[in-house]
């Protein structure tokens, strides 16, 4: 996450308040725009409220630029988890909330496929057809 200079997408349908505390709260740079793409169907109402409150608190106290959108529908269009830092992309075998608790992989996506994943993340983020604000 700290390798980004402009924008970082975290695409994880199970991204929750615990993952926010573990991976966002201690980011080194507050000038990076962090865009979290999670899932409307996979977060309970209470976890959505808690995540929104954490984001608002973090942005308010530190002047950060973190926001979250929730993918629509019960069957998410996102299966794997991706971290996009500018033009660099990593694929994670499990959700961030389970990272370091389960044996998993973190793979840098080959250059030929990065642009496609970046384009998809931007489309999910920018389209009301795919996602809605937290």
């Amino acid at each position: 996450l700290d390798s980004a200079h402009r924008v970082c997408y975290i695409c994880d349908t199970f991204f929750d308040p615990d993952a926010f505390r573990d991976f966002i709260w201690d980011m080194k740079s507050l000038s990076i725009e962090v865009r979290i793409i999670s899932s409307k169907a996979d977060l309970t109402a209470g976890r959505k409220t808690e995540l929104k409150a954490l984001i608002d608190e973090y942005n308010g106290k530190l002047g950060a630029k973190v926001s979250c959108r929730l993918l629509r529908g019960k069957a998410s269009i996102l299966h794997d988890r991706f971290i996009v830092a500018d033009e660099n992309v990593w694929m994670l075998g499990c959700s961030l909330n389970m990272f370091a608790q389960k044996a998993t992989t973190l793979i840098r996506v080959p250059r030929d496929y990065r642009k496609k994943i970046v384009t998809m993340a931007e489309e999910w983020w920018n389209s009301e057809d795919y996602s809605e604000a937290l």
Side-chain angles (χ1 to χ4, degrees):
L1 300 177
D2 287 323
S3 70
H5 298 287
R6 295 181 320 278
V7 64
C8 180
Y9 285 92
I10 299 171
C11 306
D12 181 348
T13 58
F14 296 103
F15 190 92
D16 64 7
D18 298 329
F20 185 91
R21 287 183 197 95
D22 290 343
F23 294 96
I24 303 297
W25 200 268
D26 293 324
M27 281 185 66
K28 294 176 186 166
S29 176
L30 298 175
S31 64
I32 299 165
E33 184 176 355
V34 178
R35 296 176 172 182
I36 300 163
I37 299 175
S38 190
S39 171
K40 182 177 181 177
D42 292 325
L43 287 177
T44 65
R47 297 298 268 174
K48 289 175 197 168
T49 301
E50 184 181 357
L51 180 58
K52 181 164 180 13
L54 275 171
I55 291 171
D56 291 345
E57 177 186 358
Y58 185 75
N59 288 339
K61 282 185 178 179
L62 303 173
K65 299 182 237 174
V66 177
S67 50
C68 180
R69 292 188 61 86
L70 301 175
L71 293 171
R72 297 176 182 274
K74 290 186 178 191
S76 176
I77 56 175
L78 178 63
H79 181 270
D80 293 320
R81 285 75 170 164
F82 296 101
I83 298 171
V84 178
D86 301 324
E87 292 82 30
N88 296 299
V89 179
W90 290 266
M91 184 177 72
L92 183 61
C94 72
S95 289
L96 280 172
N97 61 6
M98 294 306 293
F99 191 66
Q101 295 180 29
K102 288 185 174 184
T104 190
T105 56
L106 178 63
I107 302 168
R108 188 166 186 179
V109 174
R111 184 178 312 270
D112 295 345
Y113 298 100
R114 291 180 201 164
K115 185 168 178 58
K116 182 175 183 173
I117 293 170
V118 170
T119 300
M120 285 188 323
E122 290 171 345
E123 186 174 355
W124 297 334
W125 185 265
N126 292 315
S127 174
E128 289 290 325
D129 291 337
Y130 289 113
S131 68
E132 63 187 59
L134 173 64

